[in-house]
Amino acid sequence: MVSMKDISQRCQVSVATVSKALNNRGDISRETRERICRVAKELGYLPNSSARALKTNRSYNLGVLFVDEADSGLTHSYFSHVLDSFRRGAEEEGYDITFISRHAGKNIFSYYEHSKYRGVDGVLVACVDFSTEELKELVNGDIPVITIDFVFDNRTCILSDNVYGMEELVTYIIRQGHEKIAYIHGADSSVTQSRLNSFFQTMKRFGIPVRKEYMQEGVYHAPDVSAKLTEKLLSLQDRPTCIIYPDDFSCIGGINVIERQGLSIPADISVVGYDGQRIAQVMEPKITTYKQNTQELGRIAAKKLIELIEKPESALIERIVVKGELVQGKSVLQCK
């Protein structure tokens, strides 16, 4: 195995200079750094992560806690994009990713114990039941933690602006002339509560009453559930003219039911999604939706978590809100 000593002998410089070059330090000339890096590549040098960890007392490994109710895993149409952006941001800073769970082989751990077992430097909590005691154990422990779309007073959180997003969607629907608006929302969570509060407040601002039979609780990213709830809404004697779905994927489940009943979108009934996934824009008609900025959410999460790890004395506990944008598709008809 090629060592830094081999590189130093070939380049006729000290091992310390080789170390500075390979770590992109600025206190050597550019020419020297480029020559050392070129020779290192020619010799097939690879840094030893274990040696790096011993030297810095860090593993350069970030944990990700992700457990969603629909059990969609890394195929999750929203969080997969957030986590991909987080991964890219981490890799740019020299960090790897490890998924945290309650299992490691035949061993069963709490989230905190598994994080310790894997030796991660910090943990991103992207999706989980935030009310459990084992999650609170992790959040209140000594490992840097950042959350997405959930607020703990003692931890930095990155939030998609669900209040603004729902306000934008409902305002657009109302301005298209709709008043009989149904909302199939996700299961109870901080995200759901933010969207529901925004929905009620926006309807109230426009003086439009919310009808109890139009409010249905579903599950995020579960088109089969939204399909059944859509059937329920369509069976009403005075059915809604527009249905809001908890996400684009669930919206597709509703669209399938609407079309099976011989109804046309948006001529007979309008539909609206949430998240702004690509599939919403390749369908016919294109789905009106609110596009969350998943790239920015993941990028900021990686940046802030690494700051907590590398500069704990200056890192602040922050609540960072990331706005998205309304995407006007063709799934909402203007009522006369």
Side-chain angles (χ1 to χ4, degrees), residues 12-40:
Q12 296 184 334
V13 296
S14 68
V15 172
T17 300
V18 172
S19 177
K20 290 178 181 179
L22 297 179
N23 287 287
N24 202 28
R25 293 275 294 276
D27 50 351
I28 61 173
S29 69
R30 188 181 70 178
E31 292 78 12
T32 299
R33 181 167 57 251
E34 289 178 350
R35 179 165 61 91
I36 291 171
C37 290
R38 184 178 66 254
V39 169

PDB file of all heavy atoms in Angstrom, residues 12-40:
ATOM      1  N   GLN A  12      10.482  14.484  -3.218  1.00  0.00           N
ATOM      2  CA  GLN A  12      11.576  15.109  -2.479  1.00  0.00           C
ATOM      3  C   GLN A  12      11.095  16.285  -1.623  1.00  0.00           C
ATOM      4  O   GLN A  12      11.653  17.387  -1.641  1.00  0.00           O
ATOM      5  CB  GLN A  12      12.679  15.564  -3.446  1.00  0.00           C
ATOM      6  CG  GLN A  12      13.337  14.396  -4.177  1.00  0.00           C
ATOM      7  CD  GLN A  12      14.498  14.835  -5.053  1.00  0.00           C
ATOM      8  OE1 GLN A  12      14.555  15.974  -5.518  1.00  0.00           O
ATOM      9  NE2 GLN A  12      15.441  13.925  -5.262  1.00  0.00           N
ATOM     10  N   VAL A  13      10.018  16.014  -0.889  1.00  0.00           N
ATOM     11  CA  VAL A  13       9.489  16.982   0.077  1.00  0.00           C
ATOM     12  C   VAL A  13       9.225  16.222   1.371  1.00  0.00           C
ATOM     13  O   VAL A  13       9.298  14.992   1.409  1.00  0.00           O
ATOM     14  CB  VAL A  13       8.189  17.643  -0.424  1.00  0.00           C
ATOM     15  CG1 VAL A  13       8.443  18.465  -1.689  1.00  0.00           C
ATOM     16  CG2 VAL A  13       7.102  16.606  -0.665  1.00  0.00           C
ATOM     17  N   SER A  14       8.896  16.935   2.421  1.00  0.00           N
ATOM     18  CA  SER A  14       8.617  16.289   3.703  1.00  0.00           C
ATOM     19  C   SER A  14       7.231  15.641   3.696  1.00  0.00           C
ATOM     20  O   SER A  14       6.360  15.997   2.886  1.00  0.00           O
ATOM     21  CB  SER A  14       8.680  17.308   4.836  1.00  0.00           C
ATOM     22  OG  SER A  14       7.618  18.239   4.732  1.00  0.00           O
ATOM     23  N   VAL A  15       7.040  14.706   4.636  1.00  0.00           N
ATOM     24  CA  VAL A  15       5.731  14.076   4.780  1.00  0.00           C
ATOM     25  C   VAL A  15       4.682  15.116   5.175  1.00  0.00           C
ATOM     26  O   VAL A  15       3.530  15.053   4.739  1.00  0.00           O
ATOM     27  CB  VAL A  15       5.790  12.949   5.841  1.00  0.00           C
ATOM     28  CG1 VAL A  15       4.393  12.420   6.142  1.00  0.00           C
ATOM     29  CG2 VAL A  15       6.703  11.825   5.376  1.00  0.00           C
ATOM     30  N   ALA A  16       5.092  16.103   5.971  1.00  0.00           N
ATOM     31  CA  ALA A  16       4.172  17.174   6.386  1.00  0.00           C
ATOM     32  C   ALA A  16       3.666  17.959   5.183  1.00  0.00           C
ATOM     33  O   ALA A  16       2.487  18.314   5.112  1.00  0.00           O
ATOM     34  CB  ALA A  16       4.865  18.105   7.374  1.00  0.00           C
ATOM     35  N   THR A  17       4.553  18.202   4.226  1.00  0.00           N
ATOM     36  CA  THR A  17       4.153  18.931   3.011  1.00  0.00           C
ATOM     37  C   THR A  17       3.181  18.099   2.183  1.00  0.00           C
ATOM     38  O   THR A  17       2.208  18.620   1.628  1.00  0.00           O
ATOM     39  CB  THR A  17       5.385  19.283   2.169  1.00  0.00           C
ATOM     40  OG1 THR A  17       6.260  20.108   2.947  1.00  0.00           O
ATOM     41  CG2 THR A  17       4.993  20.028   0.899  1.00  0.00           C
ATOM     42  N   VAL A  18       3.426  16.791   2.113  1.00  0.00           N
ATOM     43  CA  VAL A  18       2.503  15.901   1.396  1.00  0.00           C
ATOM     44  C   VAL A  18       1.119  15.943   2.049  1.00  0.00           C
ATOM     45  O   VAL A  18       0.095  16.021   1.368  1.00  0.00           O
ATOM     46  CB  VAL A  18       3.046  14.455   1.380  1.00  0.00           C
ATOM     47  CG1 VAL A  18       1.991  13.506   0.807  1.00  0.00           C
ATOM     48  CG2 VAL A  18       4.326  14.376   0.570  1.00  0.00           C
ATOM     49  N   SER A  19       1.093  15.908   3.376  1.00  0.00           N
ATOM     50  CA  SER A  19      -0.163  15.941   4.105  1.00  0.00           C
ATOM     51  C   SER A  19      -0.929  17.230   3.823  1.00  0.00           C
ATOM     52  O   SER A  19      -2.144  17.215   3.600  1.00  0.00           O
ATOM     53  CB  SER A  19       0.092  15.803   5.604  1.00  0.00           C
ATOM     54  OG  SER A  19      -1.116  15.900   6.332  1.00  0.00           O
ATOM     55  N   LYS A  20      -0.200  18.338   3.804  1.00  0.00           N
ATOM     56  CA  LYS A  20      -0.831  19.631   3.515  1.00  0.00           C
ATOM     57  C   LYS A  20      -1.426  19.648   2.108  1.00  0.00           C
ATOM     58  O   LYS A  20      -2.538  20.134   1.883  1.00  0.00           O
ATOM     59  CB  LYS A  20       0.181  20.763   3.673  1.00  0.00           C
ATOM     60  CG  LYS A  20       0.609  21.030   5.102  1.00  0.00           C
ATOM     61  CD  LYS A  20       1.652  22.132   5.158  1.00  0.00           C
ATOM     62  CE  LYS A  20       2.105  22.385   6.597  1.00  0.00           C
ATOM     63  NZ  LYS A  20       3.134  23.451   6.673  1.00  0.00           N
ATOM     64  N   ALA A  21      -0.690  19.088   1.160  1.00  0.00           N
ATOM     65  CA  ALA A  21      -1.156  19.074  -0.231  1.00  0.00           C
ATOM     66  C   ALA A  21      -2.405  18.219  -0.383  1.00  0.00           C
ATOM     67  O   ALA A  21      -3.384  18.617  -1.032  1.00  0.00           O
ATOM     68  CB  ALA A  21      -0.042  18.564  -1.139  1.00  0.00           C
ATOM     69  N   LEU A  22      -2.381  17.031   0.226  1.00  0.00           N
ATOM     70  CA  LEU A  22      -3.505  16.111   0.072  1.00  0.00           C
ATOM     71  C   LEU A  22      -4.741  16.589   0.826  1.00  0.00           C
ATOM     72  O   LEU A  22      -5.869  16.188   0.490  1.00  0.00           O
ATOM     73  CB  LEU A  22      -3.110  14.715   0.552  1.00  0.00           C
ATOM     74  CG  LEU A  22      -1.987  14.039  -0.245  1.00  0.00           C
ATOM     75  CD1 LEU A  22      -1.670  12.676   0.348  1.00  0.00           C
ATOM     76  CD2 LEU A  22      -2.375  13.882  -1.720  1.00  0.00           C
ATOM     77  N   ASN A  23      -4.551  17.449   1.814  1.00  0.00           N
ATOM     78  CA  ASN A  23      -5.683  18.003   2.565  1.00  0.00           C
ATOM     79  C   ASN A  23      -6.037  19.407   2.101  1.00  0.00           C
ATOM     80  O   ASN A  23      -6.808  20.114   2.767  1.00  0.00           O
ATOM     81  CB  ASN A  23      -5.373  18.005   4.066  1.00  0.00           C
ATOM     82  CG  ASN A  23      -5.430  16.607   4.660  1.00  0.00           C
ATOM     83  OD1 ASN A  23      -6.496  16.042   4.839  1.00  0.00           O
ATOM     84  ND2 ASN A  23      -4.256  16.040   4.940  1.00  0.00           N
ATOM     85  N   ASN A  24      -5.450  19.797   0.960  1.00  0.00           N
ATOM     86  CA  ASN A  24      -5.771  21.076   0.309  1.00  0.00           C
ATOM     87  C   ASN A  24      -5.529  22.273   1.211  1.00  0.00           C
ATOM     88  O   ASN A  24      -6.310  23.228   1.219  1.00  0.00           O
ATOM     89  CB  ASN A  24      -7.220  21.059  -0.182  1.00  0.00           C
ATOM     90  CG  ASN A  24      -7.475  22.074  -1.289  1.00  0.00           C
ATOM     91  OD1 ASN A  24      -6.564  22.415  -2.036  1.00  0.00           O
ATOM     92  ND2 ASN A  24      -8.706  22.557  -1.391  1.00  0.00           N
ATOM     93  N   ARG A  25      -4.457  22.206   1.977  1.00  0.00           N
ATOM     94  CA  ARG A  25      -4.084  23.338   2.832  1.00  0.00           C
ATOM     95  C   ARG A  25      -3.513  24.465   1.985  1.00  0.00           C
ATOM     96  O   ARG A  25      -2.898  24.244   0.944  1.00  0.00           O
ATOM     97  CB  ARG A  25      -3.043  22.881   3.859  1.00  0.00           C
ATOM     98  CG  ARG A  25      -3.552  21.892   4.885  1.00  0.00           C
ATOM     99  CD  ARG A  25      -4.215  22.597   6.051  1.00  0.00           C
ATOM    100  NE  ARG A  25      -3.207  23.377   6.772  1.00  0.00           N
ATOM    101  CZ  ARG A  25      -2.399  22.890   7.714  1.00  0.00           C
ATOM    102  NH1 ARG A  25      -2.499  21.599   8.033  1.00  0.00           N
ATOM    103  NH2 ARG A  25      -1.534  23.651   8.326  1.00  0.00           N
ATOM    104  N   GLY A  26      -3.695  25.686   2.452  1.00  0.00           N
ATOM    105  CA  GLY A  26      -3.295  26.836   1.653  1.00  0.00           C
ATOM    106  C   GLY A  26      -1.894  27.353   1.936  1.00  0.00           C
ATOM    107  O   GLY A  26      -1.480  28.353   1.331  1.00  0.00           O
ATOM    108  N   ASP A  27      -1.146  26.717   2.840  1.00  0.00           N
ATOM    109  CA  ASP A  27       0.166  27.257   3.205  1.00  0.00           C
ATOM    110  C   ASP A  27       1.316  26.611   2.432  1.00  0.00           C
ATOM    111  O   ASP A  27       2.459  26.591   2.897  1.00  0.00           O
ATOM    112  CB  ASP A  27       0.399  27.130   4.717  1.00  0.00           C
ATOM    113  CG  ASP A  27       0.118  25.724   5.238  1.00  0.00           C
ATOM    114  OD1 ASP A  27      -0.413  24.914   4.467  1.00  0.00           O
ATOM    115  OD2 ASP A  27       0.438  25.472   6.412  1.00  0.00           O
ATOM    116  N   ILE A  28       1.032  26.051   1.265  1.00  0.00           N
ATOM    117  CA  ILE A  28       2.079  25.625   0.324  1.00  0.00           C
ATOM    118  C   ILE A  28       1.696  26.148  -1.051  1.00  0.00           C
ATOM    119  O   ILE A  28       0.548  26.508  -1.291  1.00  0.00           O
ATOM    120  CB  ILE A  28       2.233  24.072   0.282  1.00  0.00           C
ATOM    121  CG1 ILE A  28       0.929  23.414  -0.169  1.00  0.00           C
ATOM    122  CG2 ILE A  28       2.658  23.526   1.631  1.00  0.00           C
ATOM    123  CD1 ILE A  28       1.058  21.924  -0.393  1.00  0.00           C
ATOM    124  N   SER A  29       2.682  26.213  -1.946  1.00  0.00           N
ATOM    125  CA  SER A  29       2.403  26.785  -3.262  1.00  0.00           C
ATOM    126  C   SER A  29       1.477  25.884  -4.076  1.00  0.00           C
ATOM    127  O   SER A  29       1.412  24.669  -3.852  1.00  0.00           O
ATOM    128  CB  SER A  29       3.713  26.994  -4.038  1.00  0.00           C
ATOM    129  OG  SER A  29       4.284  25.742  -4.394  1.00  0.00           O
ATOM    130  N   ARG A  30       0.766  26.499  -5.027  1.00  0.00           N
ATOM    131  CA  ARG A  30      -0.141  25.733  -5.869  1.00  0.00           C
ATOM    132  C   ARG A  30       0.607  24.712  -6.705  1.00  0.00           C
ATOM    133  O   ARG A  30       0.141  23.584  -6.903  1.00  0.00           O
ATOM    134  CB  ARG A  30      -0.923  26.679  -6.787  1.00  0.00           C
ATOM    135  CG  ARG A  30      -2.041  25.969  -7.566  1.00  0.00           C
ATOM    136  CD  ARG A  30      -2.787  26.913  -8.474  1.00  0.00           C
ATOM    137  NE  ARG A  30      -1.934  27.326  -9.583  1.00  0.00           N
ATOM    138  CZ  ARG A  30      -2.327  28.137 -10.580  1.00  0.00           C
ATOM    139  NH1 ARG A  30      -3.550  28.658 -10.552  1.00  0.00           N
ATOM    140  NH2 ARG A  30      -1.509  28.463 -11.561  1.00  0.00           N
ATOM    141  N   GLU A  31       1.782  25.092  -7.187  1.00  0.00           N
ATOM    142  CA  GLU A  31       2.576  24.194  -8.018  1.00  0.00           C
ATOM    143  C   GLU A  31       2.979  22.936  -7.243  1.00  0.00           C
ATOM    144  O   GLU A  31       2.900  21.819  -7.759  1.00  0.00           O
ATOM    145  CB  GLU A  31       3.824  24.905  -8.540  1.00  0.00           C
ATOM    146  CG  GLU A  31       3.550  26.015  -9.551  1.00  0.00           C
ATOM    147  CD  GLU A  31       3.062  27.295  -8.884  1.00  0.00           C
ATOM    148  OE1 GLU A  31       3.161  27.400  -7.631  1.00  0.00           O
ATOM    149  OE2 GLU A  31       2.581  28.193  -9.603  1.00  0.00           O
ATOM    150  N   THR A  32       3.417  23.144  -5.981  1.00  0.00           N
ATOM    151  CA  THR A  32       3.818  22.002  -5.154  1.00  0.00           C
ATOM    152  C   THR A  32       2.631  21.094  -4.869  1.00  0.00           C
ATOM    153  O   THR A  32       2.737  19.858  -4.949  1.00  0.00           O
ATOM    154  CB  THR A  32       4.423  22.497  -3.822  1.00  0.00           C
ATOM    155  OG1 THR A  32       5.584  23.295  -4.084  1.00  0.00           O
ATOM    156  CG2 THR A  32       4.813  21.324  -2.933  1.00  0.00           C
ATOM    157  N   ARG A  33       1.489  21.706  -4.544  1.00  0.00           N
ATOM    158  CA  ARG A  33       0.291  20.920  -4.246  1.00  0.00           C
ATOM    159  C   ARG A  33      -0.140  20.106  -5.464  1.00  0.00           C
ATOM    160  O   ARG A  33      -0.456  18.915  -5.348  1.00  0.00           O
ATOM    161  CB  ARG A  33      -0.840  21.840  -3.795  1.00  0.00           C
ATOM    162  CG  ARG A  33      -2.122  21.078  -3.440  1.00  0.00           C
ATOM    163  CD  ARG A  33      -3.133  21.932  -2.701  1.00  0.00           C
ATOM    164  NE  ARG A  33      -3.496  23.127  -3.434  1.00  0.00           N
ATOM    165  CZ  ARG A  33      -3.133  24.359  -3.105  1.00  0.00           C
ATOM    166  NH1 ARG A  33      -2.392  24.566  -2.030  1.00  0.00           N
ATOM    167  NH2 ARG A  33      -3.493  25.392  -3.830  1.00  0.00           N
ATOM    168  N   GLU A  34      -0.157  20.715  -6.635  1.00  0.00           N
ATOM    169  CA  GLU A  34      -0.567  20.018  -7.852  1.00  0.00           C
ATOM    170  C   GLU A  34       0.389  18.883  -8.199  1.00  0.00           C
ATOM    171  O   GLU A  34      -0.039  17.802  -8.623  1.00  0.00           O
ATOM    172  CB  GLU A  34      -0.656  21.006  -9.011  1.00  0.00           C
ATOM    173  CG  GLU A  34      -1.839  21.974  -8.879  1.00  0.00           C
ATOM    174  CD  GLU A  34      -1.890  22.977 -10.015  1.00  0.00           C
ATOM    175  OE1 GLU A  34      -0.899  23.045 -10.800  1.00  0.00           O
ATOM    176  OE2 GLU A  34      -2.904  23.710 -10.128  1.00  0.00           O
ATOM    177  N   ARG A  35       1.705  19.119  -7.981  1.00  0.00           N
ATOM    178  CA  ARG A  35       2.701  18.080  -8.296  1.00  0.00           C
ATOM    179  C   ARG A  35       2.537  16.890  -7.356  1.00  0.00           C
ATOM    180  O   ARG A  35       2.571  15.726  -7.787  1.00  0.00           O
ATOM    181  CB  ARG A  35       4.116  18.661  -8.180  1.00  0.00           C
ATOM    182  CG  ARG A  35       5.236  17.639  -8.462  1.00  0.00           C
ATOM    183  CD  ARG A  35       6.565  18.364  -8.685  1.00  0.00           C
ATOM    184  NE  ARG A  35       6.952  19.126  -7.530  1.00  0.00           N
ATOM    185  CZ  ARG A  35       7.706  18.674  -6.525  1.00  0.00           C
ATOM    186  NH1 ARG A  35       8.140  17.413  -6.553  1.00  0.00           N
ATOM    187  NH2 ARG A  35       8.039  19.443  -5.515  1.00  0.00           N
ATOM    188  N   ILE A  36       2.324  17.150  -6.070  1.00  0.00           N
ATOM    189  CA  ILE A  36       2.154  16.078  -5.088  1.00  0.00           C
ATOM    190  C   ILE A  36       0.879  15.284  -5.376  1.00  0.00           C
ATOM    191  O   ILE A  36       0.877  14.037  -5.342  1.00  0.00           O
ATOM    192  CB  ILE A  36       2.130  16.657  -3.656  1.00  0.00           C
ATOM    193  CG1 ILE A  36       3.524  17.183  -3.281  1.00  0.00           C
ATOM    194  CG2 ILE A  36       1.665  15.609  -2.648  1.00  0.00           C
ATOM    195  CD1 ILE A  36       3.557  17.958  -1.981  1.00  0.00           C
ATOM    196  N   CYS A  37      -0.205  15.976  -5.687  1.00  0.00           N
ATOM    197  CA  CYS A  37      -1.474  15.293  -5.978  1.00  0.00           C
ATOM    198  C   CYS A  37      -1.359  14.449  -7.246  1.00  0.00           C
ATOM    199  O   CYS A  37      -1.931  13.350  -7.322  1.00  0.00           O
ATOM    200  CB  CYS A  37      -2.600  16.321  -6.119  1.00  0.00           C
ATOM    201  SG  CYS A  37      -3.073  17.114  -4.551  1.00  0.00           S
ATOM    202  N   ARG A  38      -0.596  14.939  -8.221  1.00  0.00           N
ATOM    203  CA  ARG A  38      -0.415  14.186  -9.459  1.00  0.00           C
ATOM    204  C   ARG A  38       0.379  12.907  -9.209  1.00  0.00           C
ATOM    205  O   ARG A  38       0.026  11.819  -9.681  1.00  0.00           O
ATOM    206  CB  ARG A  38       0.303  15.050 -10.499  1.00  0.00           C
ATOM    207  CG  ARG A  38       0.439  14.368 -11.868  1.00  0.00           C
ATOM    208  CD  ARG A  38       1.096  15.250 -12.890  1.00  0.00           C
ATOM    209  NE  ARG A  38       2.491  15.538 -12.568  1.00  0.00           N
ATOM    210  CZ  ARG A  38       2.932  16.705 -12.115  1.00  0.00           C
ATOM    211  NH1 ARG A  38       2.090  17.725 -11.935  1.00  0.00           N
ATOM    212  NH2 ARG A  38       4.214  16.883 -11.844  1.00  0.00           N
ATOM    213  N   VAL A  39       1.441  13.028  -8.409  1.00  0.00           N
ATOM    214  CA  VAL A  39       2.260  11.855  -8.085  1.00  0.00           C
ATOM    215  C   VAL A  39       1.462  10.852  -7.248  1.00  0.00           C
ATOM    216  O   VAL A  39       1.557   9.636  -7.463  1.00  0.00           O
ATOM    217  CB  VAL A  39       3.545  12.288  -7.342  1.00  0.00           C
ATOM    218  CG1 VAL A  39       4.278  11.075  -6.767  1.00  0.00           C
ATOM    219  CG2 VAL A  39       4.459  13.068  -8.273  1.00  0.00           C
ATOM    220  N   ALA A  40       0.664  11.376  -6.299  1.00  0.00           N
ATOM    221  CA  ALA A  40      -0.168  10.503  -5.460  1.00  0.00           C
ATOM    222  C   ALA A  40      -1.123   9.685  -6.323  1.00  0.00           C
ATOM    223  O   ALA A  40      -1.318   8.485  -6.102  1.00  0.00           O
ATOM    224  CB  ALA A  40      -0.943  11.337  -4.441  1.00  0.00           C
TER     225      ALA A  40
END
